Amino acid sequence: RKKDKKEQKGSTFLVLANRLPVDSYTDENGNIQWKRSPGGLVTALEPMLKKREGAWIGWAGGTSEPPAPFREDGMKIVPIELTQEDVEEYYEGFSNATLWPLYHDAMVTPKFDRSWWGKYVEVNQRFADAAAKEAAEGGTVFIQDYQLQLVPQMLRELRPDVRIGFFLHIPFPPKELFSQLPWRRRVMEGLLGADLIGFQVHGAARNFLDLTRDFLGLSPTENTVVAKDGRQVKVDDYPISISSKEYDTLARSAEVEKLIHQYLSELGNRRIILGVDRLDYTKGIDRRLKAYREMLADGMLDPEEVVLVQVAPPSRERVESYAKLREEVEREVGGINGEFGRFGLPAVDYIPRSLNRTELAALFRIADLMMVTPIRDGMNLVCKEYVASRIFGNGNLILSEFAGAAQELKEAWLCNPHDIDGMKEVVKAAWDASEEEQKRRMSTMRDHVFEYDVDRWASDILHDLGID
Ligand code: ADP
Ligand code: G6P
């Protein structure tokens, strides 16, 4: 492929994700400005992006015409346009009403809609085209998550010279579930366009390898599958993490200290159980509320002594199952407060919005018990953030066995969120745990979270992708 000089330029390291790592805001002069959103992924990839004239391709949210590519914080930002129809069919439809529930144990029935699939193909092609245009000769393209599973193959066809990595942030289901997908072969082949496919946990990588044999007739070995044209595709687990040191430093800051005093007095100096989740049906918020309500009713917890703080910013609100969940959760919160709250002292303090990191760190610091009880979660970062924020080495993490993080944080109080009685027992045990017991568990988890932070994740996966 001949290219003139101008064309040969481009980015040697490219990240593709459905969302950009920047948020827009309007400044005092009424101009649109951008600021970096505080995600672990961008923090982890930043050194690589800066070192290698990096670019990030993604959607800015919304449906207005996106700005031309621009530079921000040492990286090039390339916005992808989505029309109203694209948002409805590719994002809300195929990504979040087909793939998301299917990959999370089909706990909500996935919808299989042929026109959504068509739009998914079309938008994936748009991302692949943008990457093909942007990537330098021999560069590396690192593609993120379930919204973009067809991009590896599409990009390989356009640009066989680039190295392609893919990382799935959510679970990858077993054959019994994945088989439901009418376009299952296309998705598998899409992914296999990559040189490396990363999953959160070993079981997910295993599921994928098995499927390459069952659906594509390939002969995978432990960590490798040899795909069409004799290419070796590396398949492995790379559990993602957080910027642990940053959280620890933030949790020790004066701003956090100030907020702690304010929160404690506002919450009536009761002991705090905390939940922090996007309002998503996978997070098990309903089960958590049920267990809490029963504990108050049974007298296992005394409403004079405890408050459940549940932070739950609404998410994907135009998808039906999310709107329904919001109603259910709000009804249940109202019910618990009606029954057990007192004037000015609700039994559940429900905060239906995003908080900034300082506010979150302050809540993590004052929570005696943190409840992370998803029905299924690829990893779950909130529990790692809690651990990193426990600067005095005490505290109780109650963690669902069905979060990827449970494979690493084995000293948490593990629970099965389907088993309400079992969950109540675990909460009670954590509630009564001695300081010594708390520290024994927490110190092992802190060691783990500091050693396996997001920088370690990025260096492991990028090393295996052939760049350091
Ligand atoms: P998911 O990616 O499914 O939402 P994770 O636990 O893996 O779940 O990651 C969620 C991220 O979003 C964490 O970094 C967490 O701190 C952040 N987050 C969750 N809830 C809130 C909130 N109410 N306000 C601000 N950030 C939040
Ligand atoms: C999960 C997914 C991400 C997604 C995020 C927020 O973490 O793995 O890909 O960006 O949720 O969801 P949203 O639909 O708002 O992007």
Side-chain angles (χ1 to χ4, degrees):
R1 200 165 105 98
K2 285 230 158 50
K3 289 186 190 166
D4 63 27
K5 253 220 151 71
K6 196 159 150 252
E7 230 192 314
Q8 269 172 22
K9 289 205 188 116
S11 303
T12 51
F13 183 66
L14 219 67
V15 176
L16 260 71
N18 180 52
R19 285 193 189 270
L20 286 173
V22 289
D23 297 319
S24 64
Y25 67 98
T26 311
D27 69 11
E28 60 275 17
N29 304 319
N31 299 320
I32 303 278
Q33 301 286 356
W34 299 82
K35 67 170 186 304
R36 214 179 83 181
S37 41
L41 190 62
V42 51
T43 315
L45 298 175
E46 192 174 24
M48 199 57 79
L49 286 157
K50 284 192 168 151
K51 195 159 87 190
R52 301 184 174 243
E53 291 180 71
W56 191 303
I57 299 181
W59 173 47
T63 53
S64 46
E65 199 188 320
F70 58 95
R71 294 199 72 80
E72 178 72 36
D73 253 352
M75 67 179 135
K76 183 173 177 186
I77 300 285
V78 184
I80 291 282
E81 177 165 18
L82 295 187
T83 64
Q84 186 58 37
E85 203 185 343
D86 296 334
V87 172
E88 284 166 15
E89 302 200 359
Y90 148 78
Y91 170 71
E92 292 164 352
F94 201 77
S95 295
N96 290 313
T98 306
L99 293 172
W100 180 271
L102 181 67
Y103 284 26
H104 288 87
D105 290 357
M107 54 176 297
V108 156
T109 306
K111 295 198 173 109
F112 301 116
D113 179 309
R114 284 169 285 186
S115 111
W116 291 357
W117 164 253
K119 197 55 96 180
Y120 184 77
V121 175
E122 193 184 314
V123 173
N124 271 248
Q125 188 67 56
R126 196 175 306 158
F127 274 83
D129 292 345
K133 198 165 138 220
E134 192 55 45
E137 181 79 34
T140 300
V141 181
F142 189 21
I143 302 159
Q144 311 297 316
D145 229 354
Y146 62 103
Q147 302 93 343
L148 301 178
Q149 293 174 106
L150 306 179
V151 176
Q153 185 190 30
M154 289 168 165
L155 180 58
R156 179 163 300 281
E157 268 160 30
L158 294 165
R159 290 290 305 274
D161 59 293
V162 298
R163 270 194 88 68
I164 305 173
F166 180 91
F167 184 73
L168 186 71
H169 292 252
I170 70 172
F172 189 81
K175 183 179 179 189
E176 294 71 28
L177 286 173
F178 188 75
S179 308
Q180 290 184 15
L181 189 67
W183 309 278
R184 58 200 188 187
R185 283 180 61 107
R186 295 279 302 277
V187 169
M188 299 289 300
E189 281 164 355
L191 289 168
L192 285 169
D195 297 292
L196 174 150
I197 308 174
F199 295 93
Q200 297 279 26
V201 295
H202 180 74
R206 190 73 259 154
N207 286 345
F208 181 80
L209 285 166
D210 288 349
L211 283 166
T212 62
R213 190 187 50 234
D214 296 347
F215 288 148
L216 304 177
L218 301 174
S219 317
T221 56
E222 181 57 20
N223 289 326
T224 312
V225 30
V226 179
K228 284 200 301 267
D229 333 319
R231 282 186 313 107
Q232 304 256 332
V233 182
K234 177 156 174 68
V235 176
D236 214 339
D237 55 297
Y238 302 87
I240 202 166
S241 191
I242 59 163
S243 303
S244 312
K245 275 201 207 70
E246 261 178 48
Y247 251 95
D248 177 85
T249 307
L250 178 63
R252 294 172 198 272
S253 68
E255 297 96 298
V256 163
E257 210 64 57
K258 204 168 135 212
L259 277 179
I260 287 177
H261 290 294
Q262 182 193 326
Y263 290 170
L264 284 177
S265 79
E266 280 170 10
L267 293 166
N269 291 313
R270 294 171 291 175
R271 283 182 77 187
I272 295 158
I273 303 181
L274 178 65
V276 173
D277 320 75
R278 239 176 352 92
L279 193 50
D280 194 296
Y281 51 80
T282 59
K283 303 290 183 185
I285 303 171
D286 50 346
R287 276 30 169 225
R288 190 182 310 158
L289 289 171
K290 188 169 171 55
Y292 180 65
R293 184 177 198 152
E294 288 189 14
M295 290 185 82
L296 293 172
D298 297 349
M300 286 169 88
L301 289 173
D302 179 350
E304 300 280 326
E305 289 175 4
V306 64
V307 56
L308 170 63
V309 177
Q310 176 63 58
V311 188
S315 172
R316 308 173 189 165
E317 288 181 88
R318 286 159 41 88
V319 179
E320 196 187 321
S321 43
Y322 287 79
K324 204 167 129 231
L325 173 76
R326 184 172 186 177
E327 277 170 28
E328 281 166 13
V329 166
E330 291 183 355
R331 192 176 325 115
E332 183 66 8
V333 168
I336 299 174
N337 282 334
E339 201 172 335
F340 301 103
R342 283 194 296 122
F343 184 71
L345 281 184
V348 183
D349 198 326
Y350 180 66
I351 307 170
R353 62 188 169 83
S354 269
L355 299 182
N356 63 40
R357 277 155 52 96
T358 311
E359 293 169 319
L360 282 180
L363 285 176
F364 291 143
R365 276 235 1 227
I366 60 176
D368 288 309
L369 275 74
M370 175 88 217
M371 290 189 74
V372 178
T373 56
I375 303 302
R376 179 63 68 193
D377 207 330
M379 175 51 60
N380 192 284
L381 296 178
V382 169
C383 58
K384 293 186 173 179
E385 291 167 354
Y386 177 69
V387 169
S389 305
R390 299 304 300 178
I391 56 173
F392 298 118
N394 61 359
N396 294 287
L397 173 64
I398 295 167
L399 179 61
S400 162
E401 293 162 22
F402 304 104
Q407 313 267 327
E408 296 174 73
L409 304 179
K410 299 208 164 77
E411 294 73 22
W413 297 94
L414 294 175
C415 73
N416 169 3
H418 297 284
D419 172 10
I420 302 287
D421 286 337
M423 191 152 59
K424 286 159 66 182
E425 290 303 326
V426 171
V427 171
K428 180 71 178 141
W431 181 264
D432 293 334
S434 66
E435 185 82 359
E436 200 188 355
E437 164 88 356
Q438 294 181 32
K439 286 190 167 160
R440 184 184 61 74
R441 290 168 178 266
M442 191 56 79
S443 70
T444 313
M445 293 194 285
R446 280 177 68 80
D447 289 348
H448 182 91
V449 166
F450 285 109
E451 184 173 354
Y452 296 94
D453 64 1
V454 73
D455 293 337
R456 173 72 179 265
W457 170 82
S459 65
D460 284 353
I461 196 165
L462 295 177
H463 171 268
D464 285 358
L465 193 51
I467 53 171
D468 285 297

